[in-house]
Amino acid sequence: MEELPVPHNIKISNITCDSFKISWDMDPKSKDRITHYFIDLNKKENKNSNKFKHKDVPTKLVAKAVPLPMTVRGHWFLSPRTEYTVAVQTASKQVDGDYAVSEWSEIIEFCTADYSKVHLTQLMEKAEAIAGRMLKFSVFYRNQHKEYFDYTQTHHGNVMQPSPKDNSGSHGSPISAKLEGIFFSCNTEFNTGKPPQDSPYGRYRVEIPAEKLFNPNTNLYFGDFYCMYTAYHYVIVVIAPAGSPGDEFCKQRLPQLSLSDNKFLTCTEEEGSLVFRHAQDVILEVIYTDPVDLSWGTVAEIIGHQLMSLSTANAKKDPSCKTCNISVGR
């Protein structure tokens, strides 16, 4: 019996965080005998696994031969922003139920995409369910070591500069390592209505009046929702001055929030002045996308403790938490 054609010139297209399309070329000879495709997908760290396979070793996916390109979705729990390798065989189902198969194709590498706005909206809806009531606040604050503020004063003219966000939070978040901004907090202590006395990030704190960063000339976006194997959850929101590069970045990738009507962070005009509120039951991480002059606020040493164990720097999200994970790849 003539050998089945080996797929070559494999193309991957329409990549999302949990699906892709695959197509290839093959010799038309014996093409009409093909009844199935065998597709082997591996995370990139296992990319050499294919060379140990033999023609009679079952593969991870047996798919009926359909017109190409073929959409691969739901056969695996694909992870977002992850590098994979893929190889293909053509197969012909025999009368006895066994398969005749071609040789494996070459191995192709590709990377899945970040969460889309649709996925982030699902994540946002889960965060809204636990955000709790809104509490008033008046300042955004940022804790750092004294050296940070000294360096900002000496080398940047007293202006804090945006830097790329770290890789904390959801693995599929489109802002991780890509969005540039400055991290602020705004959560308050329930009994005082003021920022907590302790901090994970350093003993010096700049406090900026809320209206300097958050006002009708800014836009607000939902960025992420996660936890770190703990009972409390974090929500990331992004504040971007309207029309700024950060605003354009977020507009394309993140769900936009109403300034005055959302479950996380609001700015409303009441009796002629702006009033600010934050969600009580989540820890808000606020990213401001433009430079911030320290002269807009005040820098002082905190009187509490430096609680390094609460730092979220490059923290990994708990993938098993039902509260803050969404189902993709199904």
Side-chain angles (χ1 to χ4, degrees):
M1 186 180 291
E2 214 171 348
E3 287 193 3
L4 291 168
V6 180
H8 62 276
N9 194 26
I10 295 174
K11 295 185 180 70
I12 305 292
S13 60
N14 295 78
I15 299 170
T16 72
C17 69
D18 64 348
S19 69
F20 62 93
K21 286 188 176 182
I22 185 169
S23 64
W24 57 82
D25 298 332
M26 52 189 165
D27 192 323
K29 190 169 50 177
S30 302
K31 194 173 178 180
D32 55 350
R33 288 178 45 220
I34 298 171
T35 61
H36 291 78
Y37 304 135
F38 288 8
I39 300 177
D40 186 26
L41 183 76
N42 292 284
K43 287 192 175 180
K44 191 173 176 181
E45 57 263 32
N46 300 321
K47 65 181 177 181
N48 291 324
S49 62
N50 277 319
K51 70 182 182 183
F52 300 111
K53 287 187 177 292
H54 299 283
K55 290 174 71 171
D56 58 345
V57 175
T59 57
K60 292 185 178 176
L61 172 65
V62 178
K64 287 185 177 180
V66 296
L68 300 177
M70 181 177 77
T71 299
V72 177
R73 171 183 225 114
H75 303 99
W76 298 276
F77 289 95
L78 287 170
S79 298
R81 202 187 278 203
T82 303
E83 292 183 321
Y84 288 93
T85 63
V86 65
V88 188
Q89 288 176 310
T90 57
S92 177
K93 192 168 186 178
Q94 309 299 293
V95 177
D96 61 4
D98 203 359
Y99 290 93
V101 296
S102 72
E103 297 292 339
W104 282 104
S105 70
E106 75 271 29
I107 299 171
I108 296 298
E109 298 180 358
F110 71 99
C111 186
T112 48
D114 297 332
Y115 284 156
S116 67
K117 280 188 182 180
V118 171
H119 297 106
L120 287 172
T121 299
Q122 294 173 13
L123 202 58
M124 179 178 73
E125 289 168 353
K126 300 200 77 163
E128 288 173 341
I130 70 156
R133 69 188 184 108
M134 304 292 281
L135 299 178
K136 286 185 179 181
F137 75 99
S138 59
V139 297
F140 291 103
Y141 56 94
R142 172 175 173 80
N143 278 73
Q144 278 285 357
H145 300 286
K146 185 174 185 296
E147 292 77 16
Y148 169 85
F149 292 109
D150 290 343
Y151 187 89
T152 298
Q153 187 173 27
T154 306
H155 293 83
H156 293 298
N158 216 40
V159 177
M160 293 185 289
Q161 299 297 318
S163 59
K165 183 195 170 295
D166 65 11
N167 284 308
S168 62
S170 300
H171 188 61
S173 172
I175 62 177
S176 291
K178 293 181 179 178
L179 176 68
E180 293 199 352
I182 304 171
F183 168 85
F184 286 93
S185 301
C186 65
N187 287 77
T188 54
E189 292 184 323
F190 177 73
N191 56 340
T192 66
K194 294 180 179 180
Q197 296 178 352
D198 303 325
S199 167
Y201 300 108
R203 294 201 53 80
Y204 283 77
R205 173 180 294 168
V206 58
E207 294 188 2
I208 308 284
E211 63 270 17
K212 290 282 190 182
L213 305 183
F214 190 32
N215 54 62
N217 296 317
T218 56
N219 287 323
L220 182 67
Y221 299 90
F222 173 83
D224 201 2
F225 177 43
Y226 71 100
C227 72
M228 304 180 298
Y229 303 90
T230 54
Y232 43 88
H233 281 79
Y234 296 83
V235 169
I236 298 177
V237 294
V238 182
I239 300 174
S244 66
D247 189 36
E248 293 304 314
F249 178 97
C250 294
K251 199 170 290 184
Q252 296 172 30
R253 296 168 178 84
L254 306 180
Q256 187 167 352
L257 300 171
S258 162
L259 299 188
S260 59
D261 185 18
N262 71 79
K263 300 289 189 182
F264 311 115
L265 185 72
T266 61
C267 168
T268 55
E269 188 170 338
E270 299 176 20
E271 298 179 354
S273 60
L274 296 179
V275 176
F276 304 91
R277 293 180 175 86
H278 69 81
Q280 175 185 358
D281 294 341
V282 293
I283 299 174
L284 277 181
E285 299 185 316
V286 180
I287 297 174
Y288 186 77
T289 63
D290 268 17
V292 174
D293 196 317
L294 288 173
S295 68
W296 294 356
T298 56
V299 178
E301 188 172 4
I302 60 172
I303 59 174
H305 301 286
Q306 187 176 337
L307 306 174
M308 296 301 291
S309 62
L310 296 179
S311 171
T312 62
N314 289 305
K316 299 305 177 190
K317 179 174 181 174
D318 177 1
S320 64
C321 178
K322 293 180 180 178
T323 301
C324 62
N325 282 285
I326 57 174
S327 297
V328 293
R330 295 183 180 180

